[in-house]
Structure formats: C-alpha cells, structure tokens
Amino acid sequence: MRSNIRIVLVGDGGVGKSTLVTALIKETFIVQAVVPEVTIPPEVTPENVTTHIVDTSSKSEDQDTLETELRKANVVCIVYAVDNRDSFQQIHEHWLPFLRRQGINLPVILVGNKVDMRDEDPGHGTVLEDEVVPIMNEYREIEICVECSAKALLNVSELFYFAQKAVLHPTRPLYDSREHVMKPKCTEALSRIFRLCDVDGDGILNDAELNEFQRMCFKTPLQQRELEGVKEIVKASSPDGVTEGGLNLLGFLYLHMLFVQRGRVETTWMVLRRFGYGDDLSLREDYLCPEYDVPPDCCVELSPSGYAFLTEVFKRYDTDGDSAFCPEELESIFSLSPGIPWKHNKFPESTVTNTAGYVTLEGWLAQWSMSTLLDHKLTLAYLAYFGYPGDNRDGICIVPRHGGTGGSLRRRRKGKQQRNTFLCYVVGASGSGKSSLIRAFAKKPFTSEYTPTVRSTTTVNSVDVKGSEKYLVMQEFGPYDTSVLQSRRQLENCDLLVMVYDSNDPCSFSYLSNLRNNYSLDSLPVMFVATKSDLDYVEQRSEQPPDVYCRDLKLNAPLYVSTKDGQMASVFQRMAAIIRNPQSATPALLLSRPHAWSVTRILGVSALAGVGLVSTFVAYQAIRYWWTNIFNTRSSSSSHSMPRRKEL
C-alpha cells in the first residue's frame, strides 16, 4: 500500500477551497487566497500515510500550474458552493470534461461547501441534491459526494479522510455504481478467497472457518453472538446466502457488497490485501515472489512445512479419496492459479502416476521438489496461489549445493550430500535411448515409437538411498542442444552427467567422446549407460572401446540396460550412489590421485620380492639336502630294490 497521497482541490473561484484547507489545519475559519501546499505527517492521519494537500487557482493565467498539479495528483476534489448553482453546473459542464481531456483518470470527490448557508435558507440546494446522483452515474470516476462547511467546521476532516480512502481503498475497482453490483474481477477474487477459506471443501464457511477467516484478516476472532449476527444480516436480504451449516459463496459475496454500499469499502480491501491482491485486483508481484536471495554455492528445496502444506492441499482436493489427482481434480486445484505450469514438459508424463495416468501423492510431491530445485520462484508463487498460511518463503529452504565450501571440485571432494533433491543431465546422440531411459525412471511403459528430442524435458522420481528417500531430477537434452554444456553456471547445477549411447549403433559412443573433447566436463561426476542391451552387441567406431575409454578415466565400465525388457541393472540406484559419493566418479578428482604404483610401493614390492627369492633359495637347498640324504641312505641299504635313475 502506498505511503503518501497527494490531494488536489479544484473548483470555481469563491467556492471555499482555501478556507477548507485552513479550517483543517488551524481549525478556524479564515477567508484568504490560494494557500501553499500543506503536508500532513502520517501519525496524525487515520490511514497512517503522509498526505499532501494542494490548493489551486481557477484563473486562466494559472492554467499551466493547475495542469501540472493535476498530473501529480492521486485524487481530485472538485469543490462547489451549495448556495451557488453556477458553481454546481460547472462540475459537469467544465471540470469533469476538463479532467478527461487532460487524460487524467483519478478518483474524484465532489465537495459541496458552505452547507451552513442551506441551514440559514432551507431553499438553497434542494435541486442540487437531486442532480448529484445522475452526475455520479454518468461519471464513474466520482467516488463520493461530501457536503461540508469550512465556516462551521462541519465534515472538514471527514472530507480529507474520504479523499485518502478514495486512493487507498478505491470503490471503482470493486463496485459498479450504475448497476449496483460487484464488478467481475472483484467477484472472482472474493470467490477464490472463499475457496481458500473453505478448508473442508463443502462449499460452506462454517463457524470455525469464518472465525479463522476473521483471525487471518482482522487479527481477532468473533464471538458466537457476533457470528450469528453476521448470518442474520445476510439472511435478512439474501436468504439463499445462508444455510444451516453457515455462509455459502452467495452470502459471502453479498456481505462484501453490503460493506461497499455502506461506505465500509476498506473492510473488503483489507480482506483482498491480506490474500495478496493489489489495486488492480490481481495478485501482487511481491506477494507471489517476495525477495529471496540464494547464495551461488547453494540451491533451494522444499522445507518440511512446504511438504506438509502441499500434502494437505493434495488431500483436500482429492475429492474421491483415491490418492490420485484425476484431470477434474487437477483442474480444480489449479483453478486457484493461472493454470498448470508444467504443460510444456508433458505433465503428468514427467512424474509418477498410477495405472490410469493420474498423479499420485508421491508424484505430486516429486513434481514440486523438481520445480523448487529448478525454479524456486515458481514454487513460491504457487504456494501463494494455493493459500500457504503466513510467509510463503517458509515453504522453501536453502541448502548447500555440494556440501562444504570453496570451488566446485573442492565441494565435490567433500563427498556426502545433505540434500533431498538432485539434478542429472542426460545427454546422448539421436536415437540413443535417452527418452526411454527417463520414461522408465518415471515408471512409464516402454514404447517403440521414436520421437526425436527437440527441447529439453525433465522427469522426476524418488530413489531410496541408504534407507532415505531422495528425489532424482533427470533433465534430457537433445543432440543439438549443447548450450547447457557451455554454461559454467548450469554445469555447476548438475549433480551427475549421464552419458547414454546405443550399444547396437556403432557410431553412438563417438558422439559422447566428441562431447568430452569439445567441452570441459571432467569436473562433473559422470556415468556411462549403454542402452538396448537386448539387441546384438556391435563394436563402437571410436578411438577407444567404451570400456577402455572409461578405464582410462578411472571410471566404472558402461552399464548395459534394456528398457524394453526391463533389465535396468539398478541403474537409478547406482546414479543415486554416485550422487551421494560424487568423488568416486569425477574424472578430474580420480585422475589427480597419485598413481597406484608409486615409488614407495615399488620399493616395498621389490623388498618383498627379494625376501621371497631368498626364502625360495633356502627352501630349495633344504629340499635338495633332504632328498639327497634320503636317496643315498636307501641306495646303500637296498640297492637291488631301487630302480635305476635312467628308469626314473
């Protein structure tokens, strides 16, 4: 809400513009010429805003000054004298058309001054009162008509209070004064608020829900007799708006129309602003996406309260209780917002669904975990759309991206991750099986239909890691979409690079080796996956066979899988294991380690070898001595029974 207001008074000469200003400031009646601009500090105004009051002259020589002040105004007060019919005629003959010609679309207050003259002569102004309503109907910019007296100090402060209200709590966006109905955008906003407050989704605000609504908007609950009084007021004029259970949508809307018609428009605005609406009756940007600074070495995840809230939302809108969102239920929940934000990503194909293709609670939470990691502002906005209680920033939290501090390699060297959601980039040549792999990850059935990957697609699911559930986000890129590999920032976001090739296509692996030659990828944990293992193996036409290539990088050999036969070799669990221990698959770290056969180890082995040779020689001499002695002894005692040596 704005912190200052500029009120400009216009009207014919002699109607009392200046005396109204002095009567407000000095609380006395002084007739004088145009007064200088007056500034009223916020602490002495009912709305707690700084208020600037500008008096103007209607003389032709002051026309430029008048136009300048009008362009800076927030509200215009057109003053006429109730005892001067000509000044009243000037309202619709000159002043209102003049404002429109200037392109000024501001709230207007009609001010009938010198009402004390009517008290002295009751004949004054009788016709004027009858003519005010038609003018207000013709010119929708007119907020209200106030009659006052600077001389009698009557309704002077009220005049400027209404001027403040016309700016801070305008009636025009809410109410059609010609048709005497709430405007469509206001009805739409209040209907959304009603749905957010209808916690049990039965279409009725019961006493508990009404009290929670009252507490949220006005910081104080209602007593039972006050609740009954509200329902009686609605029932008196709109019987269909109240049921035995409480207030329905019709009654809720009628209650707010009463507020506007009875001059309590600020009450409705307090409700609208509590739920994030601005003066144009759209949700404010600062409400949807408040400031949230994320350090460069950190990422954003859902907080425990965020998971709890989204779980509650799922259960509230799962009207048939089957633990899955059918299309109608999805439409219902997203009708609180601009719509489903993931249609470009083939949702709900991007997450876990049941056999009917309906999004399960697991898939719902996984999808929001993915969104928060990739675009936390989107999650902030939708937490607000869904009615997150309190500050929607409490629904997310900041976590270190790779653990520890310092550069990316150093952070990866730290090892264990404390996060819940991780990002994998999936790259490979055309037809290598990337899409089938991530479809299998989301538990989608295999399809032989081939559709080239034109734009990146993202899939999410949960993986069990050491008894703890983590979310793995797999983002697939087409063969011509290498911009992600050129961006240092995007590479920093990656927790695992999954390089996929077709084991049945002899040219598929060379695409991956060329990628590694063209881009700096050694700082990323990497895993090679060979798809279509159900088909005949063919030798890859690359400088090195895949297994040798991986061995030179000190990586595990490629993992062979078949999405068609469901032979997945626990590939996703192995991905999660690498993410949990990234230094085990990061070439830059593995290649920087000392060679296994260091000088110390060589000396040690040599020493052991020397000891082994000596031991072998001693053993040989002992056996030779033993054999010789035994043989000689037996020869001397029974030479006839022993075969000759040549026979042996």
Side-chain angles (χ1 to χ4, degrees), residues 45-166:
T45 63
E47 297 291 345
N48 195 34
V49 292
T50 302
T51 304
H52 306 277
I53 302 175
V54 180
D55 186 18
T56 63
S57 169
S58 59
K59 296 178 180 179
S60 57
E61 59 266 29
D62 297 321
Q63 184 78 7
D64 291 342
T65 303
L66 173 63
E67 293 177 5
T68 300
E69 292 297 344
L70 285 172
R71 282 192 289 271
K72 295 189 293 183
N74 302 120
V75 57
V76 178
C77 295
I78 303 178
V79 184
Y80 66 94
V82 299
D83 65 337
N84 183 347
R85 184 173 181 82
D86 290 340
S87 67
F88 178 77
Q89 293 289 347
Q90 282 287 88
I91 294 174
H92 61 88
E93 291 179 1
H94 172 68
W95 290 110
L96 288 169
F98 171 73
L99 293 179
R100 289 188 173 182
R101 286 197 304 272
Q102 295 297 315
I104 295 170
N105 185 20
L106 297 172
V108 172
I109 308 293
L110 297 186
V111 182
N113 192 20
K114 303 186 181 182
V115 73
D116 55 288
M117 299 297 291
R118 178 185 296 159
D119 295 335
E120 295 177 5
D121 183 359
H124 277 301
T126 304
V127 178
L128 298 181
E129 291 180 2
D130 297 335
E131 294 180 352
V132 166
V133 174
I135 294 176
M136 293 182 69
N137 288 337
E138 181 180 354
Y139 292 89
R140 296 191 178 189
E141 55 265 45
I142 300 175
E143 288 279 327
I144 195 172
C145 180
V146 182
E147 292 190 335
C148 58
S149 171
K151 184 176 182 179
L153 301 180
L154 177 66
N155 287 342
V156 175
S157 59
E158 287 78 2
L159 155 65
F160 293 101
Y161 170 65
F162 282 124
Q164 288 179 332
K165 280 181 56 176

Side-chain angles (χ1 to χ4, degrees), residues 11 135 216 254 296 326 382 425 463 500:
I135 294 176
M216 288 177 61
Y254 179 76
C326 66
Y382 274 79
Y425 289 161
V463 179
V500 181

Side-chain angles (χ1 to χ4, degrees), residues 292-311:
Y292 196 80
D293 295 328
V294 182
D297 57 346
C298 294
C299 59
V300 183
E301 294 186 350
L302 283 171
S303 68
S305 62
Y307 278 113
F309 173 73
L310 289 170
T311 302

Side-chain angles (χ1 to χ4, degrees), residues 250-487:
L250 182 64
F252 185 75
L253 294 175
Y254 179 76
L255 185 63
H256 283 281
M257 188 169 70
L258 284 181
F259 289 147
V260 175
Q261 290 176 340
R262 296 182 180 183
R264 294 177 54 191
V265 67
E266 67 274 12
T267 303
T268 298
W269 273 115
M270 288 179 69
V271 172
L272 291 167
R273 289 186 174 120
R274 168 60 185 81
F275 284 88
Y277 287 93
D279 290 351
D280 60 351
L281 290 180
S282 61
L283 290 170
R284 302 188 313 272
E285 189 66 24
D286 66 307
Y287 176 77
L288 295 174
C289 295
E291 289 187 11
Y292 196 80
D293 295 328
V294 182
D297 57 346
C298 294
C299 59
V300 183
E301 294 186 350
L302 283 171
S303 68
S305 62
Y307 278 113
F309 173 73
L310 289 170
T311 302
E312 177 189 341
V313 168
F314 183 92
K315 293 177 178 178
R316 184 192 303 183
Y317 287 90
D318 178 24
T319 53
D320 55 12
D322 65 346
S323 298
F325 270 160
C326 66
E328 292 75 20
E329 290 166 339
L330 276 175
E331 183 179 354
S332 177
I333 176 62
F334 283 108
S335 65
L336 297 170
S337 70
I340 299 175
W342 314 297
K343 287 186 176 180
H344 69 280
N345 199 40
K346 302 179 182 178
F347 177 82
E349 286 290 307
S350 59
T351 191
V352 183
T353 58
N354 62 14
T355 54
Y358 299 165
V359 180
T360 62
L361 174 59
E362 179 187 6
W364 173 254
L365 295 178
Q367 187 74 21
W368 283 114
S369 298
M370 177 183 75
S371 294
T372 308
L373 179 68
L374 299 179
D375 184 4
H376 69 274
K377 292 182 179 180
L378 176 69
T379 299
L380 277 176
Y382 274 79
L383 288 174
Y385 287 133
F386 295 156
Y388 184 86
D391 191 336
N392 53 349
R393 288 173 291 190
D394 295 337
I396 60 177
C397 59
I398 295 174
V399 292
R401 185 173 296 281
H402 297 298
T405 57
S408 60
L409 277 178
R410 181 180 174 184
R411 291 197 301 272
R412 296 187 196 279
R413 201 187 301 269
K414 293 287 182 179
K416 293 185 178 180
Q417 302 283 1
Q418 303 301 318
R419 292 159 49 195
N420 292 314
T421 311
F422 302 94
L423 177 61
C424 302
Y425 289 161
V426 183
V427 298
S430 296
S432 59
K434 304 185 297 299
S435 299
S436 295
L437 182 68
I438 67 172
R439 278 181 58 82
F441 180 54
K443 301 178 182 177
K444 307 299 181 186
F446 174 79
T447 175
S448 58
E449 181 181 351
Y450 173 64
T451 303
T453 301
V454 178
R455 57 179 300 174
S456 65
T457 57
T458 311
T459 302
V460 62
N461 200 351
S462 59
V463 179
D464 184 82
V465 180
K466 299 288 186 179
S468 177
E469 187 180 73
K470 304 293 184 181
Y471 291 108
L472 215 59
V473 177
M474 298 186 68
Q475 195 163 14
E476 173 194 1
F477 296 93
Y480 304 106
D481 186 8
T482 57
S483 59
V484 64
L485 303 180
Q486 303 174 30
S487 169

